[in-house]
């Protein structure tokens, strides 16, 4: 698998802080030495990282999404192994390694994103063809497109997706970047029904709002409307889940959660506990989980030590909630 580092047991055990009398998740997770062994693994879920922020930069954003993978993996591997999540349900596959583009203009960055697409989707396709559920830690939201492409090719049909996000990422298909992954997936037939939960009116332009209004395959629940309502957030979520098809993908852009460090960090948004509740109460089998845009350090100097644990909570909630 070009550009992909497969982890050995020693790779992730080096991240585990062992303690006598306790068993950490990293001591129980599975590994393989080649993609061909995915078929024989008993793990239900496969974890992989896409530590890049080229797509964010190609969308005029602040770099830093490349910093989340390793700290998030360490946080996840050090949670306790429990009867509800022992660890052997999860296979830690590895992460992508991309070189920087020679041309750092917007067009050069967008060309590199297209190259990343072509490296990511075959790996996702292999995971799904092996009967596993991919869990992906990003990275920019541009990687939603190759994830959907890989799953669609593996299943020989377009996928449905639920996206918890402040932004619809439906910008024009004029050069790949983090803001148009869903536009490309709809246009190329890899995405069928697209539902966005938590959109912010202030940060979705007029053409995107028009596309949502006119396209019957796109549904949107605005964060602003939930704020005005006396009904709980979970009521809106349950309604959206009922309308979604079987086994949709689940996307969580971490900028939808208030104060989580990302290129588009916001003081307004869901609380982490609200998003955890949405994941835990979603009594539905999902095709995949993609956690994107989170960072521990941005190039403008902002840093956060809480992003890795945020990601670890959401992954453990997802695995525990899957039927």
């Amino acid at each position: 698998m070009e550009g992909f580092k497969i982890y050995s047991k020693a790779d992730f055990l080096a991240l585990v802080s062992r303690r006598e009398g306790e068993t950490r998740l990293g001591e129980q997770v599975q590994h393989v030495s080649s993609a061909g062994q995915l078929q024989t693994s008993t793990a239900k879920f496969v974890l992989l990282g896409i530590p890049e922020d080229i797509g964010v930069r190609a969308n005029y954003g602040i770099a830093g999404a490349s910093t989340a993978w390793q700290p998030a993996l360490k946080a996840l591997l050090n949670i306790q192994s429990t009867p509800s999540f022992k660890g052997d349900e999860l296979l830690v596959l590895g992460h992508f390694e991309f070189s920087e583009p020679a041309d750092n203009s917007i067009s050069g960055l967008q060309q590199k994103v297209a190259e990343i697409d072509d490296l990511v989707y075959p790996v996702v396709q292999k995971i799904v063809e092996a009967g596993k559920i991919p869990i992906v830690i990003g990275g920019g939201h541009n990687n939603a497109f190759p994830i959907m492409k890989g799953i669609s090719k593996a299943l020989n049909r377009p996928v449905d997706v639920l996206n918890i996000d402040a932004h619809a990422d439906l910008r024009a298909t004029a050069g790949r970047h983090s803001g148009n992954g869903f536009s490309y997936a709809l246009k190329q037939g890899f995405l069928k029904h697209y539902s966005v939960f938590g959109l912010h009116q202030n940060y979705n332009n007029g053409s995107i709002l028009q596309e949502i209004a006119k396209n019957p395959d796109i549904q949107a629940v605005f964060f602003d409307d939930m704020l005005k309502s006396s009904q709980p957030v979970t009521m809106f979520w349950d309604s959206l889940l009922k309308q979604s098809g079987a086994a949709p993908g689940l996307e969580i852009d971490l900028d939808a959660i208030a104060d989580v460090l990302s290129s588009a960090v916001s003081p307004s948004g869901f609380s982490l506990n609200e998003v955890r509740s949405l994941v835990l109460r979603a009594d539905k089998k999902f095709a995949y989980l993609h956690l994107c845009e989170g960072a521990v350090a941005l190039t403008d100097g902002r840093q956060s030590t809480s992003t890795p644990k945020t990601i670890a909570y959401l992954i453990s909630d997802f695995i525990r909630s899957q039927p």
Side-chain angles (χ1 to χ4, degrees):
M1 297 186 289
E2 185 182 354
F4 192 83
K5 172 181 168 58
I6 293 180
Y7 283 16
S8 67
K9 186 174 183 178
D11 286 327
F12 53 76
L13 282 180
L15 301 175
V16 177
S17 300
R18 301 187 188 188
R19 186 169 181 172
E20 187 177 352
E22 297 181 359
T23 304
R24 303 298 173 100
L25 207 70
E27 298 175 81
Q28 302 294 323
V29 296
Q30 296 191 37
H31 67 96
V32 293
S33 57
S34 70
Q37 294 178 345
L38 286 169
Q39 292 278 0
T40 57
S41 168
T42 59
K44 181 178 180 179
F45 305 92
V46 175
L47 180 69
L48 64 155
I50 314 180
E52 61 79 38
D53 46 37
I54 298 169
V56 172
R57 287 147 51 198
N59 193 28
Y60 300 92
I62 302 169
S66 62
T67 64
W69 161 248
Q70 193 78 359
L73 177 62
K74 183 175 182 179
L76 179 67
L77 295 179
N78 279 287
I79 69 175
Q80 299 289 334
S81 172
T82 66
S84 65
F85 183 16
K86 294 181 179 178
D88 58 359
E89 314 94 313
L90 179 66
L91 187 153
V92 178
L93 186 59
H95 74 270
F96 287 93
E97 296 178 326
F98 305 124
S99 61
E100 278 292 309
D103 177 6
N104 273 292
S105 67
I106 292 297
S107 61
L109 292 169
Q110 291 179 352
Q111 175 58 41
K112 184 67 177 184
V113 175
E115 294 171 11
I116 290 171
D117 291 343
D118 289 339
L119 293 174
V120 170
Y121 89 79
V123 176
V124 175
Q125 183 176 349
K126 284 188 174 100
I127 292 169
V128 177
E129 287 174 344
K132 314 299 183 186
I133 298 174
I135 298 176
V136 183
I137 299 176
H141 216 161
N142 45 290
N143 295 304
F145 171 69
I147 292 171
M148 288 182 280
K149 181 176 180 178
I151 289 175
S152 177
K153 283 184 169 292
L155 300 178
N156 293 309
R157 60 172 175 80
V159 296
D160 293 349
V161 169
L162 277 73
N163 179 23
I164 302 173
D165 200 343
H167 313 90
D169 292 340
L170 287 168
R171 292 185 180 274
T173 53
R176 284 284 292 118
H177 55 69
S178 64
N180 60 16
F182 299 97
S183 306
Y184 271 87
L186 285 165
K187 184 177 181 178
Q188 296 189 19
F190 301 124
L191 173 60
K192 178 60 175 173
H193 297 292
Y194 178 38
S195 301
V196 201
F197 191 78
L199 284 182
H200 287 212
Q201 291 277 1
N202 288 354
Y203 296 103
N204 289 272
N205 65 38
S207 61
I208 289 174
L209 297 179
Q210 289 173 10
E211 178 64 20
I212 292 170
K214 73 180 184 182
N215 191 331
D217 286 326
I218 302 175
Q219 292 178 289
V221 179
F222 283 87
F223 187 74
D224 314 71
D225 292 335
M226 288 185 274
L227 286 178
K228 292 186 291 185
S229 175
S230 60
Q231 299 295 328
V233 167
T234 51
M235 187 207 73
F236 293 91
W237 178 246
D238 292 346
S239 176
L240 195 65
L241 279 175
K242 288 177 183 176
Q243 298 174 60
S244 65
L250 178 59
E251 298 268 345
I252 303 178
D253 189 318
L254 295 179
D255 67 24
I257 305 173
D259 298 319
V260 171
L261 191 66
S262 68
S263 174
V265 60
S266 173
S268 178
F270 297 114
S271 70
L272 174 58
N273 284 346
E274 282 177 324
V275 176
R276 289 190 65 196
S277 179
L278 300 182
V279 174
L280 285 166
R281 69 185 288 115
D283 187 18
K284 180 183 285 285
K285 180 181 178 180
F286 285 103
Y288 72 89
L289 172 66
H290 180 206
L291 300 167
C292 61
E293 299 282 338
V296 298
L298 297 176
T299 51
D300 64 7
R302 286 176 289 173
Q303 297 185 17
S304 172
T305 58
S306 63
T307 305
K309 190 171 282 190
T310 295
I311 293 171
Y313 268 120
L314 293 171
I315 290 174
S316 59
D317 291 341
F318 177 78
I319 289 176
R320 288 189 177 102
S321 66
Q322 283 299 278

